């Protein structure tokens, strides 16, 4: 089922009545989430992504705008009547109940015509448990489970009533690195198997990019860009998005355009046809550098980190806004340790941004 | 060579430290147990005194130098205690008042603690502050106004008058509210998403999680009902409505007004027994509560 957000806005009133400093957590969010897709809501902490999730779940009432599930307006519906599944950051399992009781709990709350006979409930609980591979732990208490297992129980509990929408609030943040990798693939698998429209909040861009069909990048309550992960990475609309996506992060420089040429420092590094003369902020992805003795971009070589397949070249430049420039080149390149390293640039990995509002300047 | 010496020196030091640690550990343990032993004696002595006194003859009880163990064990005191006082009625009254007031009090406490901990309504904090402020007023002041009120209602010599005035305890509400507040907010949100009503959440999640506190409240309330003396004395004059503490006060005096203390002590022992049993039965839940206080989400 598709979900439509229409001018969704959430304003938290200020605590102090005398001082007016209300917080706009989400501002004018309009987006149609296609049916059966996995959406990553991405942004730094405090950008309103969890608030958006809570509004979709019904736990928070929007200050303005509307939410539709399919064609139904659910804006006024409370959480218990929306039929969504929600996995909390700290899982929020009921500590006094066993895994089985936890998973059964949403089913036991169904009323009226939705009410299920007991054996069907147990069957559904076991189906959900099998999906996340915890059907052998059904009689344990949450405190007797590892973090990863608890997280699966939380997902099973959210899935058991076959929700129209599955919402995940930073579901991986409490797991260790290896388990995180494994679990995010599992979330992807479960989502594909069930075909439930899933929205998943994270501040980890790698996590969002790796499993989402679409990502939504937010900053201070305002949506910055929506698109397929690769498109957003390759074609950021502004400096914030460019900086936020990618590991290692994008290299940022002070630069200027003169006569359709891009200058970083005194070196003309790239032709930028159609851009008028102006100072710019330049973003270059780490993979946008070629080691090229004939290049024009000279940097002070600091260190070369061998990573097997790739080589990470750490260098500095006066115009760089980051402490170091990190570029990743193929390990076939022979790098001579010297004072300097000379690059040429791949033009599709170089982005120009306006100095005034950080918006993208296309060339 | 120098390195070697260093190593051996360090080893020696470690050994010394180890021995010192063990000695101080043993010493601390001895002190600790001695202290606990002393406290245990202080706590248990009155009970011991009650039991041995209940087994003495009146003559032995009156000896100027009290004996620590009865010379002659008189079980008959217990029979006499039962015969002399109307213990059956007293027991019945106390049990009815104790159980009914505990149940009603628990319901009121749970619901108001839930409201103060979880619900949002106008003036919640002001109301709670006002309730807490009433704890500053000494109980004796209430007694006078309560007495006037119940006289006006003509409630004297009824169960109602023994139960109703003390149903609401601000202290219990406060205690349980604090306990409820410690239950993470996410559980409430999760339950909402799982489709529960507030009442069902209270019943299925909050009460089980706050069970240790509820049991403590139950014990305190039971003991309060069982031990109450002044209020029942004020509002009952019909012997059929007396509670156990009042009944015991006068039941064992002979014509000359002299009290047969051993028999009275026997009655006290009989009366203490149920409370003691309740405590024994609930003890493991209290301990469970203490050891489970760190709830993991």
């Amino acid at each position: 089922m598709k979900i439509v957000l229409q001018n969704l806005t959430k304003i938290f009133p200020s605590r102090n009545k005398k001082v007016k400093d209300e917080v706009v957590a989400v501002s004018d969010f309009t987006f149609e989430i296609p049916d059966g897709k996995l959406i990553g809501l991405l942004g730094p902490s405090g950008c309103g992504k969890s608030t958006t999730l809570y509004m979709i779940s019904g736990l928070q009432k929007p200050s303005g705008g509307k939410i539709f599930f399919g064609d139904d307006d659910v804006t006024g519906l409370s959480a218990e009547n929306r039929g969504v599944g929600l996995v909390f950051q700290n899982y929020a399992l009921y500590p006094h109940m066993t895994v089985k009781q936890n998973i059964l709990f949403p089913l036991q709350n169904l009323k009226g015509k939705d009410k299920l006979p007991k054996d069907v409930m147990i069957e559904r609980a076991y189906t959900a448990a099998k999906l996340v591979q915890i059907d052998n732990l059904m009689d344990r208490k949450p405190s007797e489970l590892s973090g990863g297992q608890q997280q699966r129980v939380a997902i099973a509990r959210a899935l058991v009533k076959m929700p129209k929408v599955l919402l995940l609030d930073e579901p991986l943040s409490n797991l260790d690195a290896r388990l995180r990798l494994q679990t995010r693939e599992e979330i992807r698998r479960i989502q594909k198997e069930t075909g439930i429209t899933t929205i998943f909040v994270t501040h980890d861009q790698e996590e969002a990019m790796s499993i989402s069909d679409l990502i939504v990048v937010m900053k201070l309550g305002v949506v910055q860009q929506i698109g397929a992960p690769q498109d957003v990475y390759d074609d950021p609309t502004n400096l914030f998005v460019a900086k936020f996506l990618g590991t290692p992060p994008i290299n940022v420089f002070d630069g200027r355009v003169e006569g359709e040429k891009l200058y970083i420092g005194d070196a003309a590094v790239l032709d930028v046809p159609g851009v008028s003369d102006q100072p710019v902020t330049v973003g270059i992805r780490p993979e946008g550098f070629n080691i090229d003795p004939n290049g024009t971009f000279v940097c002070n070589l600091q260190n070369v980190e061998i990573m097997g397949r790739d080589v990470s070249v750490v260098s500095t430049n006066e115009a760089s806004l980051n402490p170091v420039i990190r570029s990743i080149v193929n390990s076939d390149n022979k790098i001579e340790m010297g004072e300097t390293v000379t690059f040429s640039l791949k033009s599709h990995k170089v982005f120009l941004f306006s100095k005034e509002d950080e918006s993208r300047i296309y060339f | 060579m120098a390195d070697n010496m260093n190593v051996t020196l360090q080893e020696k030091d470690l050994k010394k430290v180890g021995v010192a640690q063990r000695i101080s550990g043993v010493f601390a343990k001895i002190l600790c147990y001695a202290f606990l032993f002393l406290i245990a004696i202080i706590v248990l002595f009155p009970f011991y005194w009650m039991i041995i006194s209940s087994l003495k003859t009146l003559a032995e009880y009156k000896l100027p130098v009290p004996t620590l163990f009865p010379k002659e064990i008189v079980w008959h005191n217990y029979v006499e205690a039962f015969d002399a006082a109307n213990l059956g009625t007293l027991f019945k009254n106390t049990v009815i008042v104790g159980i009914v007031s505990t149940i009603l009090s628990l319901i009121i406490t749970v619901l108001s603690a839930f409201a103060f901990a979880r619900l949002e309504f106008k003036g919640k904090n002001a109301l709670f502050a006002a309730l807490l402020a009433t704890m500053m007023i000494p109980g004796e002041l209430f007694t006078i106004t309560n007495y006037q009120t119940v006289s006006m209602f003509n409630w004297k010599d009824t169960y109602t008058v023994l139960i109703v005035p003390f149903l609401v305890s601000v202290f219990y509400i406060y205690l349980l509210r604090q306990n409820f507040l410690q239950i993470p907010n996410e559980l409430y949100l999760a339950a909402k998403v799982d489709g529960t009503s507030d009442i069902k959440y209270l019943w299925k999640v909050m009460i089980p999680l706050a069970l240790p506190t509820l049991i403590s409240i139950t014990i305190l309330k039971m003991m309060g009902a069982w031990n109450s003396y002044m209020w029942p004395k004020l509002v009952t004059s019909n012997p059929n409505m007396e509670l156990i503490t009042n009944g015991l006060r006068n039941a064992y005096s002979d014509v000359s007004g002299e009290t047969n203390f051993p028999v009275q002590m026997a009655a006290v022992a009989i009366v203490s027994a149920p409370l003691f049993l309740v405590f024994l039965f609930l003890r493991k839940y209290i301990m469970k509560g203490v050891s489970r206080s760190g709830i993991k989400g």
Side-chain angles (χ1 to χ4, degrees):
Chain A
M1 194 182 54
K2 70 175 183 186
I3 300 164
V4 182
L5 309 179
Q6 227 173 54
N7 307 99
L8 200 61
T9 301
K10 177 74 187 181
I11 296 168
F12 289 108
S14 63
R15 275 171 196 273
N16 191 338
K17 277 171 195 155
K18 284 170 198 155
V19 192
K20 236 185 162 338
D21 59 340
E22 45 192 27
V23 178
V24 182
V26 178
S27 164
D28 205 20
F29 190 169
T30 300
F31 181 37
E32 182 176 325
I33 298 165
D35 181 28
K37 296 285 186 203
L38 182 66
I39 310 297
L41 272 183
L42 181 61
S45 57
C47 73
K49 51 194 192 307
S50 288
T51 308
T52 306
L53 203 72
Y54 281 180
M55 283 194 286
I56 297 173
S57 73
L59 289 173
Q60 280 179 359
K61 284 203 163 47
S63 320
K66 285 193 167 146
I67 302 167
F68 294 88
F69 285 0
D71 295 323
D72 307 325
D73 184 350
V74 295
T75 318
L77 226 54
S78 62
E80 55 261 51
N81 299 321
R82 272 195 205 184
V84 299
L86 178 54
V87 176
F88 288 86
Q89 188 168 2
N90 60 2
Y91 315 140
L93 299 176
Y94 308 115
H96 59 295
M97 297 185 192
T98 63
V99 169
K100 191 156 131 193
Q101 288 165 331
N102 262 289
I103 300 176
L104 279 173
F105 192 69
L107 296 180
Q108 289 163 344
N109 294 321
L110 295 175
K111 281 179 229 101
K113 62 178 169 49
D114 299 330
K115 212 170 164 112
L116 298 168
K118 204 161 184 194
D119 50 324
V120 178
M121 285 203 260
I122 294 194
E123 199 188 304
R124 291 252 301 256
Y126 270 93
T127 313
K130 273 203 189 90
L131 196 65
V132 293
Q133 296 161 359
I134 47 157
D135 46 318
N136 53 337
L137 305 171
M138 292 300 254
D139 294 320
R140 299 232 193 134
K141 289 264 176 77
S143 58
E144 297 160 349
L145 300 177
S146 71
Q149 288 166 335
Q150 289 186 14
Q151 202 253 5
R152 288 156 195 244
V153 177
I155 294 181
R157 188 179 66 183
L159 284 174
V160 72
K161 60 183 170 188
M162 301 183 189
K164 305 165 209 162
V165 185
L166 178 63
L167 307 170
L168 305 158
D169 186 7
E170 305 246 7
L172 308 179
S173 58
N174 283 345
L175 304 180
D176 67 54
R178 187 183 289 267
L179 203 54
R180 198 176 298 183
L181 266 176
Q182 190 190 337
T183 314
R184 79 182 186 204
E185 276 153 26
E186 222 155 79
I187 289 175
R188 184 61 174 156
R189 170 182 67 81
I190 292 163
Q191 194 270 332
K192 278 210 166 125
E193 272 178 44
T194 55
I196 295 173
T197 310
T198 303
I199 303 170
F200 142 76
V201 159
T202 179
H203 61 262
D204 182 342
Q205 50 91 19
E206 204 184 318
E207 210 170 282
M209 302 230 307
S210 58
I211 62 170
S212 308
D213 293 312
L214 285 174
I215 58 173
V216 177
V217 185
M218 297 180 74
K219 176 195 175 188
L220 297 174
V222 183
V223 175
Q224 306 289 311
Q225 192 170 3
I226 299 176
Q230 193 65 50
D231 295 346
V232 177
Y233 180 80
D234 287 339
D235 199 7
T237 54
N238 59 34
L239 184 60
F240 173 81
V241 176
K243 273 180 169 170
F244 199 75
L245 294 187
T247 35
I250 196 163
N251 300 294
V252 186
F253 302 89
D254 263 332
R256 64 183 193 282
V257 175
E258 264 177 44
E260 299 197 333
K261 274 188 187 303
L262 171 65
Y263 287 85
I264 294 176
D266 294 328
V269 292
L270 202 68
D271 289 334
V272 283
V275 181
S276 57
D277 292 2
Q278 58 184 305
V280 291
T281 306
V282 187
I284 309 173
R285 291 278 180 216
E287 66 274 23
F289 296 87
N290 292 318
I291 302 271
D292 184 355
N294 305 321
T296 51
F297 189 30
V298 182
C299 297
N300 302 314
L301 184 59
Q302 204 173 63
N303 196 9
V304 176
E305 291 168 5
I306 314 290
M307 302 188 295
R309 182 168 47 89
D310 300 317
V311 175
S312 169
V313 181
V314 182
S315 56
T316 56
N317 187 293
E318 274 178 10
S320 173
L321 296 176
N322 301 359
V324 294
I325 306 161
R326 203 169 264 280
S327 43
I328 292 179
V329 295
N330 197 294
S331 58
D332 295 342
N333 286 289
K334 284 277 168 282
I335 297 156
E336 286 178 29
M337 285 303 292
E339 286 285 302
T340 59
V341 58
T342 310
F343 299 111
S344 63
L345 302 177
K346 301 173 188 167
S347 70
H348 66 284
K349 292 287 180 188
V350 179
F351 312 122
L352 302 187
F353 302 98
S354 155
K355 276 273 179 205
E356 278 152 26
D357 58 2
E358 302 197 335
S359 66
R360 176 90 177 272
I361 302 167
Y362 292 91
F363 60 88
Chain B
M1 186 69 189
D3 275 355
N4 263 339
M5 264 171 70
N6 259 336
V7 169
T8 46
L9 268 179
Q10 265 182 5
E11 271 177 0
K12 249 187 198 166
D13 278 356
L14 279 181
K15 249 182 209 164
K16 252 192 213 161
V17 171
V19 170
Q21 197 176 322
R22 224 171 298 150
I23 291 174
S24 66
V26 168
F27 198 66
K29 233 177 204 169
I30 290 174
L31 264 183
C32 180
Y33 277 103
F35 178 72
L36 288 178
F37 189 69
L38 197 74
I39 296 290
I41 285 182
I42 292 173
V43 170
L44 290 177
F45 189 75
F47 289 96
Y48 176 71
W49 193 249
M50 172 184 82
I51 289 166
I52 57 160
S53 301
S54 71
L55 296 172
K56 286 176 184 174
T57 59
L58 186 56
E60 186 182 351
Y61 183 85
K62 284 181 175 167
L63 285 179
V65 182
T67 48
L68 273 178
F69 197 79
K71 291 175 197 157
E72 183 195 349
I73 294 180
V74 193
W75 292 107
H76 188 70
N77 284 340
Y78 282 81
V79 182
E80 216 170 298
F82 247 105
D83 288 347
N86 200 354
L87 264 189
T89 312
L90 293 178
F91 251 114
K92 192 192 80 188
N93 286 344
T94 313
V95 165
I96 289 176
V97 169
I99 289 181
V100 172
S101 67
T102 303
I103 291 174
L104 291 180
S105 185
L106 273 178
I107 294 174
I108 292 171
T109 306
V110 165
L111 290 179
S112 26
F114 180 74
F116 282 121
R118 183 52 64 203
L119 301 183
E120 289 301 331
F121 53 91
K122 263 219 164 100
K124 177 170 98 166
N125 291 332
L127 190 61
F128 191 65
L131 272 185
L132 282 186
T134 62
M135 284 173 76
M136 306 276 182
I137 305 169
E140 286 77 4
L141 287 182
F142 285 136
T143 312
I144 298 165
T145 50
N146 279 352
Y147 185 78
Q148 289 174 330
T149 311
V150 299
S151 316
M152 209 169 69
F153 287 160
N154 265 336
W155 275 1
K156 284 172 88 179
D157 281 325
T158 58
Y159 283 131
T160 320
V161 75
L162 295 169
I163 295 171
V164 171
F166 302 103
L167 278 184
V168 178
S169 157
V170 176
F171 174 66
Y172 299 155
I173 293 174
Y174 172 72
L175 195 70
L176 193 61
R177 168 186 176 265
Q178 295 310 99
N179 203 277
F180 279 172
L181 281 181
Q182 280 172 11
I183 296 173
N185 200 24
E186 276 84 2
L187 285 186
Y188 179 68
L189 299 180
K192 279 273 145 202
V193 172
D194 288 344
T196 45
S197 56
D198 279 0
I199 282 290
K200 197 163 180 192
Y201 173 70
L202 172 65
W203 183 245
K204 287 254 184 162
V205 179
M206 284 185 120
I207 287 181
L209 286 178
L211 201 58
T213 307
L214 285 171
I215 286 174
S216 308
I217 290 176
T218 308
I219 291 175
L220 289 175
K221 183 71 195 170
M222 284 267 201
M223 272 167 52
W226 203 260
N227 293 337
S228 63
Y229 180 77
M230 191 159 113
W231 179 254
K233 180 106 183 137
L234 268 178
V235 294
T236 52
S237 45
N238 179 351
N240 283 329
M241 290 308 298
E242 276 189 327
L243 295 192
I244 213 145
T245 42
N246 310 125
L248 290 186
R249 183 71 185 86
N250 300 319
Y252 304 105
S253 314
D254 58 18
V255 223
S256 61
E258 198 184 4
T259 307
N260 188 343
F261 282 109
V263 177
Q264 195 171 29
M265 281 295 186
V268 170
I270 295 170
V271 166
S272 312
L275 215 52
F276 186 66
L277 286 180
V278 167
F279 179 76
L280 268 193
F281 173 69
L282 292 178
R283 191 183 53 150
K284 78 172 183 202
Y285 294 98
I286 300 170
M287 292 305 175
K288 212 169 154 188
V290 173
S291 62
R292 214 185 65 159
S293 55
I295 290 168
K296 263 206 297 191

